[in-house]
Amino acid sequence: MHKHLLGKLTILFLFIVTFLTGCANNNSSKITIVGSSALQPLAEQAGNDYRLSHSGSNIVVQGGGSGTGLSQIQAGAVQIGSSDVFADTQKGINAHLLKDYLVAVVGVVPIVNKGVGVENLSIKQLQEIFTGKITNWQQVGGKKGAIIVINRSKGSGTRATFEDLVLRGKQAVKSQEQDSNGTVKKIVNSTPGTISYISFPYATDNNIQKLSIDHVYPTNKNIPDNKWKLWSYEHMYTKGKPNKATASFLKYMLSKKVQTGLIPKTGYLSVNQMHVKRDSHNKVTKLGK
Amino acid sequence: MSEKNDDLKKVVNQALAEQKVPHVKLDKMKPSTVDIDKLTKPSKETHQEYWGKGLTFLAIVLIILLVVSIIGFVGEHGLATFFSDHVNIIHFLTSTDWDPTQGKNHVGALAMIVTSFLVTLISALIAAPFAIAVALFMTEYSSKRSAKFLQSVTELLVGIPSVVYGFLGLTIIVPAIRNIFGGTGFGILAATLVLFVMVLPTITSLTVDALKAVPTELKNSSAALGATRWQTIYHVILRASTPRILTAIIFGMARAFGEALAVQMVIGNAVLMPYNLVSPSATLTSQLTSQMGNTVMGTLPNNALWSLALLLLLMSLLFNFLVHLIGKKGKK
C-alpha cells in the first residue's frame, strides 16, 4: 500500500517538475528586464502599456542595479539587461556580445536635507564634499553642522554617472551606501546634514532640497544642451540578436508613442531630444541638427 | 537449489509428523500445502525493508553531495582570490581597505570581520541574561499553562521573517537612535538591537530545554537541605545546566553572525572600521547581500565576495565545533 503511494507520489512529482520546467522553456513571449533602478519606473510603465496592447505578452521588470543588469544579460539569464552605464566601462563584461539600445536619457541631481541651508553648490564644492575635503556645511555657506554623505552602492549606475562627472576619477570618501533611489531619498529626508544624489524621476517631492550646480537648475530643459551635466543614457542591452518577442518590445520602447508620450510624462528625456552626444569615455560632442 | 528445497520439505514434513510442540497446531495450517518457494524467497516485508533503507540512504547521499558541493564551490571561488588573483591572505585579514574594483591591494576585510564579531558578541551579551531570566521564569516560577503560552510566544518570535525585523528596525530603532545620539542612526547599535530581538527567542527556547534537563533529584535534594527556591536556582540548577546554556548562547551567536538582511537594512553599509557604536559600518553578510548582484562572475570583486562567504562558512564551522566541545566537557 505504502509502496504504491510512494511510487505514485514520485511519478507525480517528476511529472510536475517536467511540466513546470517545460513551460518555462517554451514560453518565449516572456521578457524579463533586470538592472538599473533608475530605468525601472519607465520600464514598468512601458511594460504595462505594452501588455495592454499586446495580449499574450508577459513582461517582468526587476531592479538590482546596473551592474546586475549587465552581468545577468551577459550570463544570458534574462532577455534584457538595463543599465545607466556603457557596457564597455564595466570590468568583466564583454561588450561585443551585447547589443545596445538607447531608450532614454535621465538626469541625476544632488539632494540635501532641507535643514542644511544650502541650495546651490559649485561643481568643485560638490567634488570636495564627496571626496571628504569639505566636512561642514558652514564651509559652503550653510548652517553649522557636519556633512553626512550617503552614497549609492557600488554597481549603481547612478553612482557611476555621478562619480564620472563630478569626481572625475577621484576616490569618493568611504561612507554609508544604500541600495536604491527610494531609500536614499527617505534617509536624506529624515536625517539632518545629509547629502546624496538621485535620478530625476525620483526627485519629485518637496521634502528634499534639490541643489543647483553653478546656478544651473536641475530641470529636464537644461539637459539637451548639456548645461546640466549630470545625465546618463538609459541602455537596454540584449545578448546578441534579440528573439522575436524581445525585438518587438524594444521596437515599442523606441516608438514615437513611448518616446514622445510616456518618457516625458515619467520624468525622462527622449534620446531624440538631445542636442549633444556622449560616448563611453564621457566625451561630449554636439550633434549637427 | 531444488536439493535444498527438498531438504527443507523433508524437515518440515518430519516436524509435522512428530508434532513435538502440541500447542502449535500445525495441522490447522494445512501443512500439506506449505509453499516452500514462498518460504525461501524474500517476503513483502523484506521488500519494504529494502525500499525504506534505500530511500533513506538515497536522501543521505543527496545531502552529503549537497554539503560537499557547496563547500567545494564556495572554497573554489573564495580561494581563487588568493591563488589566481594573488591577494595576500594576511592583507585580506588585517587591512581595512575594501575596494576590490581597485585591484588586489584593496581587498582588506578586517573592518567587516570586526563589525561582524562586535554585533554578534554585543547582541549575545545583552540577550543572554534576558533569555536565561525568561527561561528560569518559564521553568521554575510560572504555572504550566502560562509556561505553554510563553513557549508559543517565543516560537512565534522565531518564526517572524528577518526582513520584518529589519523593517521594524529601520522605521523605529534607527530614528530613535538618531534622535538620542545624533548622526544618521545607522550603525552597530541599531544592528545590535535588532539582532537582540532576533536571537532572544533562540537562546530562550534552548535554555528552557537546558533547564528542563536538570534532574529532579538535584532540585529535590537541594530543597531537602532547606535551600530557598532562588538558592536552588542559583547554586544547583544554573550550575548543572551551564554547558547547555552556553551551547544555547553559541547557537544564538551563530544566528546573529549569519543574519544578513535585517542587519544590512540598519547598519548603513559603509565598509569602515567602526569607531563608535553609532557610526555606520558593514558586516560580512551585509556586504555580501548588497554587493553580490553588482559583480561579474570570475572577476576579482566577485571572488573577493566569495572569500567573505568562505570566511562565514569557516566561522559557522567554528561555532559548531565550539558547541560540540562544550557538549563533551559538559558530559564529564
Side-chain angles (χ1 to χ4, degrees):
Chain A
M1 178 62 200
H2 278 285
K3 192 168 82 183
H4 288 294
L5 195 68
L6 216 68
K8 272 182 196 162
L9 277 179
T10 317
I11 290 166
L12 191 72
F13 176 73
L14 286 175
F15 182 70
I16 290 172
V17 167
T18 36
F19 182 69
L20 286 180
T21 47
C23 250
N25 283 338
N26 295 334
N27 193 347
S28 59
S29 66
K30 185 181 172 186
I31 304 170
T32 309
I33 306 172
V34 166
S36 162
S37 66
L39 184 61
Q40 209 178 342
L42 174 65
E44 272 168 4
Q45 195 62 48
N48 283 340
D49 294 351
Y50 183 78
R51 234 182 328 236
L52 288 179
S53 53
H54 297 70
S55 57
S57 62
N58 183 6
I59 294 172
V60 181
V61 180
Q62 292 168 15
S66 299
T68 310
L70 288 172
S71 63
Q72 293 293 309
I73 188 67
Q74 166 145 306
V78 295
Q79 281 73 46
I80 297 177
S82 56
S83 163
D84 303 358
V85 295
F86 282 93
D88 53 353
T89 59
Q90 190 85 347
K91 263 184 206 163
I93 296 287
N94 193 346
H96 300 295
L97 296 174
L98 305 178
K99 202 161 172 340
D100 188 2
Y101 298 83
L102 298 176
V103 294
V105 170
V106 72
V108 176
V109 55
I111 53 168
V112 294
N113 184 268
K114 281 226 150 172
V116 303
V118 173
E119 290 178 10
N120 178 70
L121 287 173
S122 72
I123 194 112
K124 193 163 173 247
Q125 285 172 326
L126 202 57
Q127 190 190 70
E128 288 183 340
I129 286 174
F130 275 87
T131 48
K133 273 192 200 140
I134 296 178
T135 54
N136 199 303
W137 286 112
Q138 240 178 352
Q139 289 167 275
V140 290
K143 291 174 193 158
K144 197 173 171 182
I147 295 178
I148 299 170
V149 173
I150 312 270
N151 239 326
R152 292 286 306 282
S153 27
K154 290 202 181 87
S156 147
T158 312
R159 175 169 177 171
T161 308
F162 187 82
E163 293 199 335
D164 277 351
L165 299 168
V166 174
L167 304 187
R168 295 187 182 133
K170 285 190 183 134
Q171 276 294 308
V173 62
K174 280 203 174 140
S175 63
Q176 279 201 49
E177 291 176 3
Q178 292 298 336
D179 271 351
S180 68
N181 280 299
T183 324
V184 165
K185 195 168 83 178
K186 220 163 103 187
I187 292 170
V188 171
N189 178 16
S190 59
T191 315
T194 43
I195 181 168
S196 189
Y197 46 86
I198 56 179
S199 58
F200 275 19
Y202 286 92
T204 46
D205 58 302
N206 296 321
N207 297 325
I208 41 164
Q209 177 67 51
K210 288 185 261 181
L211 292 182
S212 56
I213 299 178
D214 295 321
H215 300 287
V216 176
Y217 289 94
T219 59
N220 274 342
K221 261 190 234 153
N222 286 329
I223 290 179
D225 297 318
N226 202 33
K227 266 194 222 150
W228 181 264
K229 295 188 178 66
L230 296 181
W231 56 271
S232 67
Y233 291 114
E234 291 296 335
H235 309 259
M236 281 190 170
Y237 282 102
T238 58
K239 192 176 187 184
K241 218 176 149 229
N243 64 26
K244 220 173 131 195
T246 312
S248 156
F249 176 72
L250 285 166
K251 205 177 148 197
Y252 175 79
M253 280 302 293
L254 297 170
S255 72
K256 218 171 177 187
K257 194 181 165 205
V258 171
Q259 293 290 325
T260 61
L262 186 63
I263 282 186
K265 211 174 86 190
T266 43
Y268 300 81
L269 276 101
S270 166
V271 181
N272 306 327
Q273 283 174 271
M274 298 300 290
H275 301 156
V276 294
K277 204 176 109 183
R278 191 158 64 197
D279 64 8
S280 60
H281 306 293
N282 292 318
K283 231 173 97 182
V284 176
T285 46
K286 263 210 152 103
L287 286 172
K289 257 193 185 172
Chain B
M1 198 63 200
S2 65
E3 224 171 84
K4 252 190 188 169
N5 276 1
D6 288 343
D7 282 352
L8 199 62
K9 215 165 198 167
K10 231 187 238 169
V11 173
V12 172
N13 285 336
Q14 201 182 345
L16 286 172
E18 286 177 7
Q19 289 275 356
K20 271 183 184 164
V21 205
H23 58 271
V24 181
K25 289 176 179 157
L26 276 173
D27 52 340
K28 270 200 176 169
M29 288 165 64
K30 300 203 174 98
S32 55
T33 63
V34 164
D35 188 351
I36 294 300
D37 275 346
K38 208 173 175 184
L39 270 179
T40 51
K41 275 190 181 149
S43 68
K44 194 179 149 199
E45 283 72 18
T46 318
H47 275 297
Q48 282 177 352
E49 196 72 29
Y50 287 150
W51 255 95
K53 209 175 169 183
L55 274 179
T56 47
F57 183 72
L58 209 71
I60 281 292
V61 168
L62 208 69
I63 294 295
I64 290 176
L65 266 177
L66 208 65
V67 169
V68 168
S69 51
I70 287 176
I71 293 178
F73 191 82
V74 174
E76 187 199 334
H77 287 271
L79 292 175
T81 314
F82 308 112
F83 291 116
S84 57
D85 293 317
H86 305 291
V87 172
N88 189 336
I89 191 157
I90 294 168
H91 165 81
F92 177 74
L93 292 175
T94 56
S95 162
T96 58
D97 180 10
W98 177 261
D99 197 355
T101 43
Q102 298 296 315
K104 66 171 184 144
N105 291 325
H106 303 269
V107 193
L110 184 66
M112 286 170 279
I113 297 171
V114 169
T115 312
S116 273
F117 274 102
L118 270 180
V119 291
T120 306
L121 282 175
I122 299 175
S123 59
L125 226 61
I126 308 173
F130 269 96
I132 294 171
V134 170
L136 277 175
F137 181 81
M138 280 164 70
T139 51
E140 302 301 319
Y141 289 108
S142 75
S143 68
K144 264 209 174 126
R145 255 182 72 192
S146 53
K148 242 186 189 163
F149 172 71
L150 286 171
Q151 181 107 32
S152 52
V153 169
T154 48
E155 272 160 16
L156 191 75
L157 281 176
V158 178
I160 295 176
S162 57
V163 66
V164 176
Y165 283 114
F167 197 35
L168 286 172
L170 193 63
T171 43
I172 299 170
I173 294 176
V174 170
I177 293 175
R178 179 161 60 225
N179 291 335
I180 299 169
F181 299 102
T184 57
F186 290 88
I188 290 183
L189 185 60
T192 307
L193 291 179
V194 168
L195 284 176
F196 160 70
V197 186
M198 295 183 73
V199 300
L200 188 66
T202 310
I203 303 182
T204 306
S205 53
L206 286 170
T207 307
V208 166
D209 293 343
L211 296 178
K212 276 185 182 159
V214 175
T216 340
E217 301 92 75
L218 283 181
K219 295 185 209 169
N220 288 347
S221 31
S222 168
L225 287 171
T228 61
R229 189 172 259 182
W230 179 252
Q231 283 172 331
T232 309
I233 288 173
Y234 188 75
H235 292 288
V236 179
I237 298 178
L238 283 183
R239 295 295 143 95
S241 56
T242 302
R244 291 191 64 171
I245 292 178
L246 282 178
T247 312
I249 294 173
I250 289 173
F251 269 115
M253 283 170 71
R255 180 164 190 211
F257 200 82
E259 177 51 44
L261 202 57
V263 172
Q264 192 232 332
M265 289 166 85
V266 299
I267 203 161
N269 304 314
V271 187
L272 292 170
M273 201 66 173
Y275 53 89
N276 62 32
L277 289 184
V278 290
S279 71
S281 191
T283 63
L284 293 166
T285 47
S286 75
Q287 191 59 21
L288 268 174
T289 49
S290 64
Q291 292 301 319
M292 61 188 172
N294 294 327
T295 56
V296 181
M297 200 76 187
T299 57
L300 173 61
N302 189 268
N303 285 341
L305 289 182
W306 282 112
S307 301
L308 298 186
L310 184 65
L311 208 60
L312 281 168
L313 196 74
L314 291 178
M315 281 313 302
S316 72
L317 283 181
L318 183 72
F319 280 128
N320 273 352
F321 176 72
L322 275 179
V323 166
H324 280 287
L325 202 73
I326 291 171
K328 257 187 199 161
K329 272 215 168 144
K331 268 179 198 156
K332 270 177 197 169

